[in-house]
Amino acid sequence: MNKNLVLTAAIGFQLSQLQLFIKSLRKYYKDEICFIIGSKDLEIENELKKYSCACIKTNIDKRDIQLKRYKIFLDFLIGKKFNKILFCDSRDVYFQSNPFDYLYKGSINFFLEDKKIKDCRFNSEWIVKTYGKKILEELSEKIISCGGTILGNQNSIEKFLRLMIDETSKHKFKKRLKYILTFRRDKGGRGSDQAHGNFIAHRKLIEGSFFYTNADGPIATVYHLGQIRFNKNHQLINSQEEPYLVVHQFDKKWEYFLNAINYLKKKFKIS
């Protein structure tokens, strides 16, 4: 049987910011992990190799990797065969179990937040400045699909990566005039690939797309999570009292997660 794969990027981070991700993941999961790291991140590379991770080294600026990671990952998959693939963020993610130990319903699975696109000024602006107001009107009532955790079979993930490459190329974020005139980056464009991901997900451009709600799905996106509850083992639990397999954006709610993170740091011997 083919192995599973976790794909993630870690450009511009310190090793300390990645320890919870890799140590919690390796406690439950033994298959393949691939990181994109900076060409000079020798300390990170050496540490990740201790956990049997593949490292793709690049000179791409940390401000550009969010859009360029799709092509890097697609190239990495050439000639390889995996069962399922988790595409995810790294710095703000930790694991409470094996992310693949679940009977996922879709060929590709998207994980919803607890907020409509129209009610989030960031997602709304990203869509307007990439696709325009007409597409925002079309998607406004949809629940935000998180771009930081997507899981599917290899064919579907490869199709997602190709679509992201195509969509981010055709529908670039439109910078404000002052940034155009001064040849500067528009910070408002950071995270704008959320617009392209939501367009792909909600248009169901990939056959077999399935959406899990934030409240009762296997993966939590914390920022807009309606109820934040833990069991006696400091595990974040969903509406069915089951621990989430993956916790994303925990740093957005430190007031709730401080005890859980301190517990995990002691458990995994993270200083």
Side-chain angles (χ1 to χ4, degrees), residues 99-114:
F100 300 98
D101 190 15
Y102 191 86
L103 191 60
Y104 292 96
K105 295 181 180 180
S107 64
I108 187 165
N109 302 275
F110 298 100
F111 303 93
L112 301 174
E113 305 189 35
D114 285 336

Side-chain angles (χ1 to χ4, degrees), residues 246-260:
V246 184
V247 179
H248 179 216
Q249 295 183 347
F250 64 90
D251 61 328
K252 299 291 193 296
K253 298 286 184 179
W254 272 120
E255 66 272 27
Y256 294 98
F257 279 83
L258 187 59
N259 289 337

Side-chain angles (χ1 to χ4, degrees), residues 67 70-71 74 108 110 131 155-171 193 195-207 209:
L67 295 181
Y70 303 103
K71 178 66 165 57
L74 189 61
I108 187 165
F110 298 100
Y131 289 98
N155 287 338
S156 295
I157 290 294
E158 286 184 355
K159 184 167 185 180
F160 171 76
L161 295 173
R162 290 191 193 95
L163 284 167
M164 286 297 292
I165 294 166
D166 189 43
E167 293 297 319
T168 55
S169 176
K170 289 192 302 184
H171 302 279
D193 58 334
H196 308 96
N198 272 268
F199 179 82
I200 291 167
H202 289 300
R203 278 276 184 100
K204 296 188 176 179
L205 299 184
I206 303 172
E207 185 177 356
S209 295

Side-chain angles (χ1 to χ4, degrees), residues 19-61:
Q19 288 186 330
L20 185 55
F21 178 97
I22 190 61
K23 289 188 176 184
S24 63
L25 177 56
R26 272 299 184 224
K27 176 174 175 58
Y28 305 107
Y29 169 78
K30 304 304 179 186
D31 283 359
E32 304 297 314
I33 306 171
C34 176
F35 274 85
I36 302 174
I37 63 172
S39 59
K40 298 180 181 179
D41 290 338
L42 298 180
E43 182 184 19
I44 290 175
E45 181 182 15
N46 290 335
E47 185 69 13
L48 291 178
K49 285 182 176 179
K50 294 177 185 178
Y51 293 90
S52 301
C53 299
C55 292
I56 302 171
K57 302 179 75 173
T58 181
N59 289 316
I60 294 172
D61 190 280

Side-chain angles (χ1 to χ4, degrees), residues 3 6 10 83 94 105 147-148 190 201 227 232 249 258:
K3 292 183 177 181
V6 174
N83 181 25
Y94 70 86
K105 295 181 180 180
R190 293 179 184 175
Q227 287 190 318
K232 63 181 181 180
Q249 295 183 347
L258 187 59

